[in-house]
Amino acid sequence: MDRALSDYAMRLGDDSLILGQRLSEWCGHAPMLELDLSLANIGLDLVGQATHFLMLAGDADRLAFHRDVLDFKNCLLVEQPNGDFAQTIARQFLFSNWQELQLRELSGSANETLASIAAKAVKEVSYHARFANEWVVRLGDGTDESRARMVQALEWMWRFGDELFDVDAQLDPLIAERIAVDPRELRAEWEARVTKTLAQATLDVPVPRRGARGGRMGHHSEHLGHLLATMQFLPRAYPGTVW
Amino acid sequence: MYTTELEDKNKKPAPREVLVAEDPAKLVAFEARVAADEFIEPKDWMPAAYRKTLVRQMSQHAHSEIVGMLPEGNWITRAPSLRRKAVLLAKVQDEGGHGLYLYAAAETLGTSREEMIEALHSGRAKYSTIFNYPTLTWADIGAIGWLVDGAAILNQVPLQRTSYGPYARAMVKICKEESFHQRQGFEIMTVLAGGSPEQRRMAQDALDRWWWPSLMMFGPPDDNSPNTAQSIRWRIKRETNDELRQKFVDVTVPQADAIGLKVPDPKLAWNEARGSYDFGPVDWEEFYAVVRGEGLVAKDRMKARVAAWEDGAWVREAATAHAAKHVVKAAAE
Ligand SMILES: [Fe+2]
Ligand SMILES: [Fe+2]
Ligand SMILES: [Fe+2]
């Protein structure tokens, strides 16, 4: 298959996979049982999407379990650690609001497989975005402590937002062919959504800062290597086995 | 599952005499309804001892579902394929859902979820001993699904006809999901048992470690089970511990044979006359030690649950505070 298309499918798949992996770390440790269920449910949706996207890119398990950091193409945002619940929510808030727009557009892709994966996933992700938005409002407009934690969490995550809208030489031809979404066209709507929810949460929009970038090219934060070490342990330790 | 009495074996059974305090006419009517297999509903009159037994049993069951998320959650991040990861996430999510249904059903008896959770964290309430064993390898995830959920099914199927309506209805929902849990576990074991020598070793080792604790899940032998008689009379329980244990052995041994794993019991033998397997004695000293909190990872399990609860307190407070503000706003408008 066309290298550019498979790279694109990997970007999409890796975003979902890495965030799904992160969310699954919460299992059994969430602040209340209802949140255990929601986080597991979102994680499950994301792992499902990742499987479909990576199947388009090649052998999904091979890609998930046998690539190293330099070959992962997820954005830096999704690999950020869970931190406290506010940090998990801040990450989900920035990502799901973007992913929903991205999938909505992708469901009109000239590539039928991408379009059909996106059409199914966008329904799941609109729930993820709603969940994150509601929690941003609850925590922002909750107690003094929750507000302070939410502010701090947004401070941590904010610099990873810009990367979501980057376009590079690999993406250009796919955008021209209407296979890939042009993320620049999503920015205004994303900002409007994020700003609206922050207002409901009685929170200020964090001041702009220099965006952190590199994930799409395999230049990640230190966190990804540890995540992969955990996730890939079994297939790596017992090569050539079926599970 | 997890509905066996986890009381100390020296504790005396709830004597019939405690019932003397109850209104005799009401008690007779109640027992007649139960004997006729009618469901008792939250608003109906019930003996205090019935209510107490149910709260204990249902909250213990709920706690087991929640604590049970930990040993399996331990492997979600390391599941060896995308499909296994998705299936395990779905399974553990189901278990959390079971906990929710059960807490809700138990709340109909007048005890709040917070009270029940507090009882768990303080050590007053118990949960199934099985979750105080560690999950060492991926094969343990197979063994838990196959054996632990398998035992749960046998325990829970009769509870769909238990006398307390909300409990019975929760069980109907739960039982639908348990057979999927059991199948995915057995499938993991089947693949490992037919895999590489290392995988086979993991599978056999998991069966070696989980077999006896699984038999213990049905609770102490009938002659040492303080509350069984009363619970059966009240249709809180419908089969005795030993009956269920025997069923489990009879169902599970042929499954182990089918995938070429050996059940770690030298006394295990088919008894033609009984049409059942004879099996060796369970180490009840170990069981009571684990009930007392001496399981290898018992302290880790409680530490994890308490930490989740305490670290999450600010989130629950924020949700409450936010909801309260909105009630005030709505009232002002
Ligand atoms: Fe159960
Ligand atoms: Fe369950
Ligand atoms: Fe289960």
Side-chain angles (χ1 to χ4, degrees):
Chain A
M1 110 140 50
D2 169 355
R3 173 75 196 270
L5 177 58
S6 95
D7 270 12
Y8 184 55
M10 265 187 260
R11 292 182 184 198
L12 297 164
D14 290 348
D15 280 350
S16 294
L17 175 61
I18 300 303
L19 187 54
Q21 175 75 5
R22 276 287 182 235
L23 291 174
S24 72
E25 293 169 9
W26 271 105
C27 192
H29 305 281
M32 53 180 136
L33 193 44
E34 287 80 354
L35 286 174
D36 260 314
L37 297 184
S38 306
L39 295 171
N41 189 32
I42 296 172
L44 183 57
D45 288 343
L46 290 167
V47 171
Q49 295 164 13
T51 306
H52 291 296
F53 284 126
L54 292 178
M55 277 166 65
L56 177 60
D59 175 339
D61 279 325
R62 182 102 215 133
L63 290 169
F65 294 95
H66 292 277
R67 277 178 302 160
D68 201 350
V69 167
L70 293 178
D71 292 319
F72 267 82
K73 301 179 195 304
N74 58 280
C75 59
L76 298 175
L77 176 64
V78 293
E79 70 197 41
Q80 295 308 303
N82 287 339
D84 65 4
F85 182 67
Q87 194 167 311
T88 291
I89 288 298
R91 184 183 62 199
Q92 201 70 44
F93 171 59
L94 300 184
F95 182 77
S96 295
N97 279 295
W98 171 80
Q99 196 193 20
E100 185 185 352
L101 301 178
Q102 156 117 330
L103 291 172
R104 187 189 68 198
E105 297 306 313
L106 192 63
S107 65
S109 168
N111 180 289
E112 275 178 36
T113 313
L114 280 178
S116 80
I117 301 170
K120 176 174 176 283
V122 71
K123 295 180 198 130
E124 300 166 346
V125 174
S126 74
Y127 161 76
H128 306 173
R130 185 149 45 92
F131 169 84
N133 292 346
E134 285 172 6
W135 274 102
V136 167
V137 173
R138 274 189 203 107
L139 298 180
D141 186 22
T143 63
D144 289 346
E145 181 180 5
S146 70
R147 181 185 182 81
R149 285 177 184 262
M150 196 65 235
V151 167
Q152 211 181 9
L154 287 164
E155 278 299 313
W156 179 277
M157 294 297 172
W158 201 253
R159 67 202 143 118
F160 301 112
D162 285 342
E163 190 185 24
L164 302 174
F165 304 98
D166 283 351
V167 171
D168 54 30
Q170 288 206 31
L171 215 49
D172 279 331
L174 291 177
I175 292 173
E177 291 172 77
R178 301 185 31 80
I179 290 172
V181 174
D182 185 344
R184 289 167 300 198
E185 289 172 8
L186 308 175
R187 181 138 200 166
E189 193 177 354
W190 179 81
E191 282 178 358
R193 281 182 173 220
V194 165
T195 304
K196 184 175 162 220
T197 299
L198 290 176
Q200 281 172 357
T202 71
L203 295 170
D204 296 328
V205 178
V207 289
R209 63 209 63 194
R210 188 161 174 272
R213 305 186 140 86
R216 303 292 183 211
M217 319 307 301
H219 293 164
H220 293 274
S221 62
E222 288 177 352
H223 303 295
L224 185 65
H226 294 280
L227 180 149
L228 296 182
T230 301
M231 183 174 83
Q232 298 179 336
F233 150 67
L234 276 174
R236 296 275 205 181
Y238 301 96
T241 44
V242 174
W243 299 90
Chain B
M1 79 201 306
Y2 332 130
T3 54
T4 59
E5 292 101 90
L6 297 170
E7 300 296 311
D8 197 278
K9 66 173 166 178
N10 298 319
K11 207 159 159 183
K12 287 284 157 286
R16 293 290 293 169
E17 298 86 73
V18 299
L19 298 174
V20 170
E22 302 286 4
D23 179 332
K26 284 183 175 166
L27 184 60
V28 167
F30 170 84
E31 293 203 330
R33 286 186 64 195
V34 168
D37 274 338
E38 279 182 49
F39 285 124
I40 305 300
E41 297 300 333
K43 290 205 165 67
D44 296 345
W45 184 89
M46 62 188 84
Y50 176 83
R51 184 184 301 272
K52 198 173 155 218
T53 303
L54 273 172
V55 170
R56 193 191 61 217
Q57 180 170 320
M58 291 163 75
S59 65
Q60 192 172 285
H61 191 160
H63 298 328
S64 301
E65 302 283 359
I66 303 313
V67 177
M69 294 169 81
L70 295 171
E72 291 183 293
N74 182 39
W75 278 93
I76 292 176
T77 54
R78 291 178 288 168
S81 72
L82 293 169
R83 185 170 83 90
R84 294 288 179 213
K85 190 186 292 292
V87 168
L88 186 57
L89 256 171
K91 190 221 184 228
V92 179
Q93 189 191 6
D94 283 351
E95 304 299 6
H98 298 173
L100 265 188
Y101 304 151
L102 286 161
Y103 282 127
E107 282 187 314
T108 63
L109 291 162
T111 308
S112 73
R113 202 208 297 185
E114 283 68 26
E115 288 173 89
M116 291 183 262
I117 288 175
E118 204 283 311
L120 172 68
H121 292 176
S122 70
R124 278 180 290 122
K126 302 290 183 193
Y127 57 91
S128 180
T129 49
I130 196 81
F131 299 121
N132 289 329
Y133 294 87
T135 47
L136 298 186
T137 73
W138 173 249
D140 291 24
I141 298 308
I144 289 183
W146 174 33
L147 302 174
V148 175
D149 288 273
I153 291 170
L154 289 175
N155 241 325
Q156 289 175 172
V157 163
L159 289 175
Q160 297 180 88
R161 286 290 312 150
T162 194
S163 61
Y164 188 56
Y167 193 20
R169 290 188 289 273
M171 278 304 138
V172 172
K173 283 204 233 176
I174 289 174
C175 283
K176 284 194 188 127
E177 297 176 341
E178 294 295 359
S179 57
F180 147 67
H181 298 173
Q182 199 269 352
R183 274 202 311 275
Q184 63 89 34
F186 188 63
E187 198 208 317
I188 290 174
M189 287 304 255
T190 305
V191 169
L192 294 177
S196 70
E198 292 96 335
Q199 287 175 312
R200 264 196 78 74
R201 176 179 173 218
M202 280 181 211
Q204 183 61 54
D205 186 74
L207 176 57
D208 291 348
R209 282 179 290 111
W210 291 91
W211 175 256
W212 292 107
S214 298
L215 295 193
M216 293 175 199
M217 280 178 67
F218 297 95
D222 294 344
D223 52 13
N224 223 334
S225 177
N227 300 306
T228 289
Q230 180 66 277
S231 285
I232 293 226
R233 179 181 171 88
W234 280 344
R235 305 274 207 270
I236 291 174
K237 228 168 142 159
R238 304 201 57 124
E239 283 175 84
T240 72
N241 298 351
D242 287 334
E243 285 164 357
L244 290 167
R245 188 165 16 250
Q246 180 70 58
K247 265 194 193 171
F248 176 78
V249 172
D250 291 344
V251 170
T252 311
V253 170
Q255 295 172 345
D257 288 343
I259 57 174
L261 294 180
K262 192 171 166 0
V263 172
D265 179 357
K267 295 221 167 71
L268 187 75
W270 177 250
N271 182 324
E272 193 63 59
R274 288 201 307 123
S276 261
Y277 285 93
D278 292 334
F279 55 97
V282 175
D283 179 359
W284 292 110
E285 278 321 303
E286 173 175 326
F287 172 75
Y288 289 113
V290 179
V291 170
R292 282 194 308 271
E294 294 170 27
L296 181 57
V297 293
K299 287 194 164 50
D300 308 60
R301 298 285 183 248
M302 267 315 95
K303 194 176 165 198
R305 283 313 311 159
V306 171
W309 187 250
E310 289 178 353
D311 295 348
W314 69 272
V315 177
R316 299 190 301 276
E317 284 156 17
T320 310
H322 179 77
K325 283 183 198 177
H326 281 260
V327 171
V328 172
K329 264 190 211 158
E333 272 156 22

mmCIF file of all heavy atoms in Angstrom, chain B residues 207-225:
data_model
loop_
_atom_site.group_PDB
_atom_site.id
_atom_site.type_symbol
_atom_site.label_atom_id
_atom_site.label_comp_id
_atom_site.label_asym_id
_atom_site.label_seq_id
_atom_site.Cartn_x
_atom_site.Cartn_y
_atom_site.Cartn_z
ATOM 1 N N LEU B 207 -2.806 -22.677 36.495
ATOM 2 C CA LEU B 207 -3.793 -23.647 36.992
ATOM 3 C C LEU B 207 -3.350 -24.178 38.356
ATOM 4 O O LEU B 207 -4.165 -24.305 39.271
ATOM 5 C CB LEU B 207 -3.970 -24.795 35.987
ATOM 6 C CG LEU B 207 -4.905 -25.932 36.431
ATOM 7 C CD1 LEU B 207 -6.303 -25.414 36.772
ATOM 8 C CD2 LEU B 207 -4.994 -27.008 35.339
ATOM 9 N N ASP B 208 -2.067 -24.468 38.508
ATOM 10 C CA ASP B 208 -1.555 -24.963 39.791
ATOM 11 C C ASP B 208 -1.862 -23.983 40.922
ATOM 12 O O ASP B 208 -2.232 -24.375 42.020
ATOM 13 C CB ASP B 208 -0.032 -25.179 39.730
ATOM 14 C CG ASP B 208 0.348 -26.338 38.826
ATOM 15 O OD1 ASP B 208 -0.555 -27.116 38.423
ATOM 16 O OD2 ASP B 208 1.556 -26.469 38.499
ATOM 17 N N ARG B 209 -1.680 -22.703 40.644
ATOM 18 C CA ARG B 209 -1.871 -21.722 41.716
ATOM 19 C C ARG B 209 -3.339 -21.356 41.952
ATOM 20 O O ARG B 209 -3.727 -21.013 43.055
ATOM 21 C CB ARG B 209 -1.067 -20.443 41.426
ATOM 22 C CG ARG B 209 0.430 -20.612 41.737
ATOM 23 C CD ARG B 209 1.236 -19.354 41.425
ATOM 24 N NE ARG B 209 1.324 -19.113 39.997
ATOM 25 C CZ ARG B 209 0.735 -18.119 39.355
ATOM 26 N NH1 ARG B 209 0.018 -17.223 40.020
ATOM 27 N NH2 ARG B 209 0.859 -17.993 38.052
ATOM 28 N N TRP B 210 -4.171 -21.390 40.902
ATOM 29 C CA TRP B 210 -5.548 -20.892 41.055
ATOM 30 C C TRP B 210 -6.556 -21.987 41.365
ATOM 31 O O TRP B 210 -7.688 -21.699 41.743
ATOM 32 C CB TRP B 210 -5.976 -20.106 39.804
ATOM 33 C CG TRP B 210 -5.240 -18.812 39.685
ATOM 34 C CD1 TRP B 210 -4.063 -18.596 39.019
ATOM 35 C CD2 TRP B 210 -5.582 -17.548 40.288
ATOM 36 N NE1 TRP B 210 -3.664 -17.281 39.154
ATOM 37 C CE2 TRP B 210 -4.572 -16.622 39.931
ATOM 38 C CE3 TRP B 210 -6.636 -17.120 41.092
ATOM 39 C CZ2 TRP B 210 -4.598 -15.290 40.354
ATOM 40 C CZ3 TRP B 210 -6.664 -15.791 41.503
ATOM 41 C CH2 TRP B 210 -5.646 -14.886 41.140
ATOM 42 N N TRP B 211 -6.173 -23.256 41.187
ATOM 43 C CA TRP B 211 -7.152 -24.324 41.362
ATOM 44 C C TRP B 211 -7.739 -24.362 42.772
ATOM 45 O O TRP B 211 -8.943 -24.264 42.970
ATOM 46 C CB TRP B 211 -6.519 -25.672 40.999
ATOM 47 C CG TRP B 211 -7.444 -26.828 41.282
ATOM 48 C CD1 TRP B 211 -7.370 -27.702 42.320
ATOM 49 C CD2 TRP B 211 -8.599 -27.208 40.522
ATOM 50 N NE1 TRP B 211 -8.394 -28.617 42.263
ATOM 51 C CE2 TRP B 211 -9.170 -28.328 41.164
ATOM 52 C CE3 TRP B 211 -9.218 -26.692 39.369
ATOM 53 C CZ2 TRP B 211 -10.323 -28.952 40.702
ATOM 54 C CZ3 TRP B 211 -10.360 -27.323 38.900
ATOM 55 C CH2 TRP B 211 -10.902 -28.435 39.561
ATOM 56 N N TRP B 212 -6.849 -24.483 43.767
ATOM 57 C CA TRP B 212 -7.368 -24.625 45.139
ATOM 58 C C TRP B 212 -8.061 -23.370 45.640
ATOM 59 O O TRP B 212 -9.156 -23.447 46.215
ATOM 60 C CB TRP B 212 -6.250 -25.087 46.091
ATOM 61 C CG TRP B 212 -5.804 -26.496 45.800
ATOM 62 C CD1 TRP B 212 -4.631 -26.877 45.214
ATOM 63 C CD2 TRP B 212 -6.553 -27.708 46.035
ATOM 64 N NE1 TRP B 212 -4.592 -28.242 45.067
ATOM 65 C CE2 TRP B 212 -5.748 -28.784 45.567
ATOM 66 C CE3 TRP B 212 -7.800 -27.989 46.579
ATOM 67 C CZ2 TRP B 212 -6.160 -30.110 45.645
ATOM 68 C CZ3 TRP B 212 -8.215 -29.305 46.658
ATOM 69 C CH2 TRP B 212 -7.405 -30.359 46.195
ATOM 70 N N PRO B 213 -7.476 -22.193 45.392
ATOM 71 C CA PRO B 213 -8.223 -20.988 45.788
ATOM 72 C C PRO B 213 -9.598 -20.900 45.118
ATOM 73 O O PRO B 213 -10.555 -20.384 45.708
ATOM 74 C CB PRO B 213 -7.311 -19.841 45.336
ATOM 75 C CG PRO B 213 -5.933 -20.439 45.417
ATOM 76 C CD PRO B 213 -6.102 -21.867 44.963
ATOM 77 N N SER B 214 -9.714 -21.425 43.898
ATOM 78 C CA SER B 214 -11.028 -21.408 43.241
ATOM 79 C C SER B 214 -12.012 -22.317 43.976
ATOM 80 O O SER B 214 -13.186 -21.967 44.141
ATOM 81 C CB SER B 214 -10.922 -21.845 41.776
ATOM 82 O OG SER B 214 -10.100 -20.950 41.070
ATOM 83 N N LEU B 215 -11.535 -23.483 44.412
ATOM 84 C CA LEU B 215 -12.430 -24.370 45.181
ATOM 85 C C LEU B 215 -12.852 -23.702 46.494
ATOM 86 O O LEU B 215 -13.962 -23.901 46.987
ATOM 87 C CB LEU B 215 -11.754 -25.707 45.483
ATOM 88 C CG LEU B 215 -11.413 -26.617 44.302
ATOM 89 C CD1 LEU B 215 -11.045 -28.018 44.802
ATOM 90 C CD2 LEU B 215 -12.555 -26.718 43.314
ATOM 91 N N MET B 216 -11.940 -22.912 47.048
ATOM 92 C CA MET B 216 -12.264 -22.215 48.308
ATOM 93 C C MET B 216 -13.322 -21.139 48.117
ATOM 94 O O MET B 216 -13.988 -20.734 49.069
ATOM 95 C CB MET B 216 -11.002 -21.569 48.891
ATOM 96 C CG MET B 216 -9.968 -22.566 49.371
ATOM 97 S SD MET B 216 -8.460 -21.691 49.898
ATOM 98 C CE MET B 216 -7.272 -23.042 49.848
ATOM 99 N N MET B 217 -13.475 -20.661 46.881
ATOM 100 C CA MET B 217 -14.461 -19.605 46.628
ATOM 101 C C MET B 217 -15.878 -20.002 47.022
ATOM 102 O O MET B 217 -16.728 -19.131 47.219
ATOM 103 C CB MET B 217 -14.491 -19.256 45.137
ATOM 104 C CG MET B 217 -13.380 -18.347 44.694
ATOM 105 S SD MET B 217 -13.510 -18.081 42.930
ATOM 106 C CE MET B 217 -15.037 -17.161 42.831
ATOM 107 N N PHE B 218 -16.150 -21.309 47.071
ATOM 108 C CA PHE B 218 -17.503 -21.732 47.423
ATOM 109 C C PHE B 218 -17.736 -21.699 48.931
ATOM 110 O O PHE B 218 -18.834 -21.969 49.398
ATOM 111 C CB PHE B 218 -17.780 -23.125 46.849
ATOM 112 C CG PHE B 218 -17.728 -23.133 45.343
ATOM 113 C CD1 PHE B 218 -16.567 -23.482 44.668
ATOM 114 C CD2 PHE B 218 -18.831 -22.725 44.615
ATOM 115 C CE1 PHE B 218 -16.515 -23.444 43.287
ATOM 116 C CE2 PHE B 218 -18.788 -22.691 43.226
ATOM 117 C CZ PHE B 218 -17.615 -23.052 42.563
ATOM 118 N N GLY B 219 -16.683 -21.387 49.655
ATOM 119 C CA GLY B 219 -16.854 -21.228 51.096
ATOM 120 C C GLY B 219 -16.557 -22.505 51.846
ATOM 121 O O GLY B 219 -16.314 -23.550 51.256
ATOM 122 N N PRO B 220 -16.584 -22.415 53.183
ATOM 123 C CA PRO B 220 -16.214 -23.549 54.026
ATOM 124 C C PRO B 220 -17.152 -24.732 53.806
ATOM 125 O O PRO B 220 -18.251 -24.554 53.283
ATOM 126 C CB PRO B 220 -16.368 -23.005 55.444
ATOM 127 C CG PRO B 220 -16.996 -21.675 55.339
ATOM 128 C CD PRO B 220 -16.954 -21.223 53.928
ATOM 129 N N PRO B 221 -16.718 -25.934 54.183
ATOM 130 C CA PRO B 221 -17.583 -27.100 54.028
ATOM 131 C C PRO B 221 -18.882 -26.894 54.794
ATOM 132 O O PRO B 221 -18.933 -26.143 55.766
ATOM 133 C CB PRO B 221 -16.773 -28.245 54.637
ATOM 134 C CG PRO B 221 -15.481 -27.684 55.105
ATOM 135 C CD PRO B 221 -15.426 -26.230 54.797
ATOM 136 N N ASP B 222 -19.931 -27.578 54.348
ATOM 137 C CA ASP B 222 -21.267 -27.344 54.901
ATOM 138 C C ASP B 222 -21.311 -27.512 56.417
ATOM 139 O O ASP B 222 -22.008 -26.770 57.107
ATOM 140 C CB ASP B 222 -22.283 -28.290 54.249
ATOM 141 C CG ASP B 222 -22.437 -27.961 52.763
ATOM 142 O OD1 ASP B 222 -22.012 -26.859 52.351
ATOM 143 O OD2 ASP B 222 -22.962 -28.817 52.028
ATOM 144 N N ASP B 223 -20.551 -28.487 56.941
ATOM 145 C CA ASP B 223 -20.634 -28.708 58.389
ATOM 146 C C ASP B 223 -19.894 -27.625 59.164
ATOM 147 O O ASP B 223 -19.919 -27.591 60.380
ATOM 148 C CB ASP B 223 -20.125 -30.113 58.760
ATOM 149 C CG ASP B 223 -18.755 -30.403 58.177
ATOM 150 O OD1 ASP B 223 -18.099 -29.436 57.695
ATOM 151 O OD2 ASP B 223 -18.334 -31.573 58.183
ATOM 152 N N ASN B 224 -19.223 -26.740 58.448
ATOM 153 C CA ASN B 224 -18.496 -25.668 59.114
ATOM 154 C C ASN B 224 -18.956 -24.300 58.622
ATOM 155 O O ASN B 224 -18.236 -23.319 58.694
ATOM 156 C CB ASN B 224 -17.000 -25.828 58.833
ATOM 157 C CG ASN B 224 -16.188 -25.596 60.093
ATOM 158 O OD1 ASN B 224 -16.637 -24.884 60.993
ATOM 159 N ND2 ASN B 224 -15.019 -26.180 60.157
ATOM 160 N N SER B 225 -20.125 -24.259 58.071
ATOM 161 C CA SER B 225 -20.610 -23.038 57.448
ATOM 162 C C SER B 225 -21.765 -22.509 58.282
ATOM 163 O O SER B 225 -22.894 -22.965 58.168
ATOM 164 C CB SER B 225 -21.060 -23.360 56.023
ATOM 165 O OG SER B 225 -21.595 -22.216 55.434
#
